[in-house]
Amino acid sequence: MESMGKKKPRPRRSFTPEFKAEIVELCRRGDRSVGQLAKDFDLTETAVRLWVSQAEVDAGERDGLTSSERQELAALRRENRRLREDVEVLKRATAFFVKETR
């Protein structure tokens, strides 16, 4: 009885935008519940609900960041982090050369 009651976490999977759009469309039709769709396609209910919510934001039906805005924000944050690191390196180099010239 090593791991009674504990499930192994399932490996993280990625899905194509087309697959997500298909699942969202099936949810919107209303033939099956989110829970039933998740079960039928071996997905988590949370993932399906997030996809539906993001589709509503992208369609302008709900407030929030669209998918393209999220991608742009992530890219800007990466660039900002890289630039901060560059500035830090330049500060260290300046301090080193100031010490050497004295």
Side-chain angles (χ1 to χ4, degrees), residues 58-96:
D58 290 345
E61 300 168 3
R62 176 186 275 196
D63 288 339
L65 293 177
T66 64
S67 296
S68 61
E69 289 171 334
R70 284 182 185 278
Q71 289 173 343
E72 181 181 10
L73 181 60
L76 290 171
R77 285 181 173 162
R78 277 191 302 273
E79 181 182 8
N80 194 4
R81 184 174 50 248
R82 186 186 56 78
L83 291 172
R84 287 179 190 268
E85 290 169 358
D86 290 351
V87 167
E88 189 60 35
V89 168
L90 290 172
K91 283 181 183 178
R92 288 182 189 155
T94 302
F96 174 79

Side-chain angles (χ1 to χ4, degrees), residues 16-29 34 46-70:
T16 64
E18 294 81 16
F19 178 77
K20 292 178 183 181
E22 184 179 334
I23 296 297
V24 168
E25 182 58 35
L26 289 171
C27 282
R28 287 187 173 174
R29 280 192 210 150
V34 170
T46 305
V48 174
R49 289 184 198 285
L50 287 172
W51 296 347
V52 170
S53 176
Q54 187 62 50
E56 291 172 352
V57 170
D58 290 345
E61 300 168 3
R62 176 186 275 196
D63 288 339
L65 293 177
T66 64
S67 296
S68 61
E69 289 171 334
R70 284 182 185 278

